[in-house]
Amino acid sequence: MAGKGLSGEYVPGKYAKRKPGAEERVGHYVRIWESRKLAQAEAESTAAVPAELGPCITFSRKIGVGALEIADMVALKLGYTVADRELIEQIANQSNISEKAVTYFDERFPGYVNRTFKYLFGEKAFIDSDYSRHLISAVFAIAGLEPTVFVGRGAHLILPRERVLAVRCIGSDDYRAKRIADIMRISKADAKKKLSSIDKEQAVFFKKVFGKKTATPYEFDMVMNLDHFANPGDVADIVTLAFNKKFKTAG
């Protein structure tokens, strides 16, 4: 989908549709966390059974393929919320919000976060990485709040695999460059240079946070090459169908 021109650097996850700012969306989550915390405190006298994490969708992607556009379509079909890279980063980079969020999550879903830390980083390694801890906390807290479609930041590696439809969207360098050139109104050659730089940044992120050099197909339920889909809506239909089939018994 060709978008309107964007000034400055290309930001992964941006396309023509305008979203509320990340700060506004973070405020929305914080208000819900606080209101539910109060409700939970008032109901402490009743013995509550730990909640089960609802099923989510995670999109991993080669930058520039248009995964956020598809995620928005899927979320609309399912009545879900989209948590993109910008939102996740905003929560992860504010330790006071991250800690508040994960405290709420831990009370509803005891043990999930610590098990994930130990699985990804071992008994000690994760303690030295505040950013990794906050990132994982942010993803869990969002997932525990409402049904969510995640885009980016390795959410498929964080959330329990049995509660996720993990989708990988890929595309050739030519496809991605053409799309970014259209969005930014720059030459295809310049778009390729930008994508090369962004790809390197993405690789550094996954190496630093998850200790992974590449994303293997075995991490996902579906890998879709968007070079061969002219209509993003068709991809959204396929993902929605797969989600409904995988979690058809989920309430």
Side-chain angles (χ1 to χ4, degrees):
M1 175 179 177
K4 296 179 181 179
L6 301 176
S7 59
E9 291 299 307
Y10 172 73
V11 178
K14 295 291 187 183
Y15 67 101
K17 178 180 176 181
R18 294 189 179 276
K19 291 179 173 292
E23 290 186 7
E24 180 182 340
R25 288 183 286 156
V26 169
H28 161 75
Y29 282 110
V30 170
R31 287 190 295 273
I32 297 177
W33 285 321
E34 290 178 343
S35 65
R36 291 192 182 177
K37 180 73 173 175
L38 285 173
Q40 190 172 309
E42 292 172 0
E44 277 184 354
S45 57
T46 60
V49 178
E52 181 181 22
L53 189 67
C56 296
I57 298 175
T58 63
F59 279 90
S60 170
R61 85 281 202 211
K62 294 286 287 184
I63 298 298
V65 296
L68 181 56
E69 178 182 6
I70 295 166
D72 279 339
M73 293 177 183
V74 172
L76 185 62
K77 291 173 182 292
L78 295 172
Y80 273 36
T81 298
V82 174
D84 58 16
R85 166 182 170 155
E86 185 181 18
L87 173 64
I88 297 168
E89 286 282 316
Q90 187 77 11
I91 296 175
N93 287 324
Q94 298 183 51
S95 59
N96 60 323
I97 295 176
S98 178
E99 295 296 345
K100 181 185 297 185
V102 81
T103 297
Y104 164 79
F105 181 90
D106 266 340
E107 290 175 354
R108 292 193 68 221
F109 307 94
Y112 270 92
V113 176
N114 282 337
R115 285 199 300 270
T116 301
F117 285 154
K118 291 176 181 178
Y119 171 73
L120 290 173
F121 307 112
E123 292 289 342
K124 296 180 180 179
F126 74 86
I127 297 173
D128 299 324
S129 176
D130 284 342
Y131 174 78
S132 296
R133 181 162 52 87
H134 292 156
L135 173 69
I136 292 169
S137 298
V139 170
F140 268 118
I142 293 169
L145 192 61
E146 57 190 6
T148 303
V149 178
F150 290 90
V151 182
R153 299 290 87 177
H156 70 288
L157 297 171
I158 296 171
L159 296 169
R161 192 65 183 81
E162 69 276 7
R163 305 306 294 160
V164 166
L165 177 76
V167 182
R168 172 79 169 163
C169 292
I170 62 174
S172 66
D173 289 348
D174 281 345
Y175 173 83
R176 296 190 297 141
K178 182 181 185 306
R179 187 172 179 278
I180 298 309
D182 288 344
I183 290 174
M184 297 190 69
R185 294 180 179 175
I186 59 177
S187 71
K188 192 172 176 180
D190 285 342
K192 283 188 174 181
K193 290 179 183 177
K194 289 182 181 294
L195 283 172
S196 177
S197 175
I198 292 170
D199 285 346
K200 289 177 183 176
E201 291 174 5
Q202 188 182 48
V204 168
F205 166 81
F206 276 91
K207 177 64 176 175
K208 179 179 180 180
V209 176
F210 298 106
K212 297 180 68 65
K213 293 182 179 179
T214 59
T216 71
Y218 300 101
E219 294 172 11
F220 307 99
D221 297 294
M222 306 170 63
V223 179
M224 305 195 70
N225 185 345
L226 300 190
D227 284 39
H228 305 296
F229 287 89
N231 182 4
D234 292 339
V235 180
D237 287 342
I238 293 168
V239 173
T240 303
L241 176 63
F243 178 80
N244 286 331
K245 292 291 186 182
K246 182 171 182 177
F247 296 106
K248 59 186 176 182
T249 60

